[in-house]
Amino acid sequence: MVQMTARRVLTAEAVLVGGMMLALLVRELPGLVREVRIWRMAGSHSGARRVG
């Protein structure tokens, strides 16, 4: 009985942490997209192209 309760608590904690990480990712996604665009623009103006 104790093992089942401990497993439930652990599962609930994992779901909670996963949900928080997902919420943080969704919240930060527009800023990350903007950063990637800036990096691409900065990389394209340097004239050096990466191979690979």
Side-chain angles (χ1 to χ4, degrees):
M1 187 78 174
V2 175
Q3 223 176 19
M4 193 63 175
T5 306
R7 186 170 292 182
R8 261 191 198 167
V9 170
L10 197 61
T11 304
E13 285 180 357
V15 168
L16 191 65
V17 170
M20 287 173 57
M21 294 296 285
L22 186 63
L24 184 66
L25 178 67
V26 167
R27 185 175 166 206
E28 295 294 326
L29 197 59
L32 291 173
V33 169
R34 186 167 48 240
E35 289 289 332
V36 168
R37 286 183 181 165
I38 290 170
W39 290 337
R40 282 185 182 170
M41 282 192 287
S44 66
H45 289 302
S46 68
R49 291 193 172 233
R50 280 190 240 173
V51 178

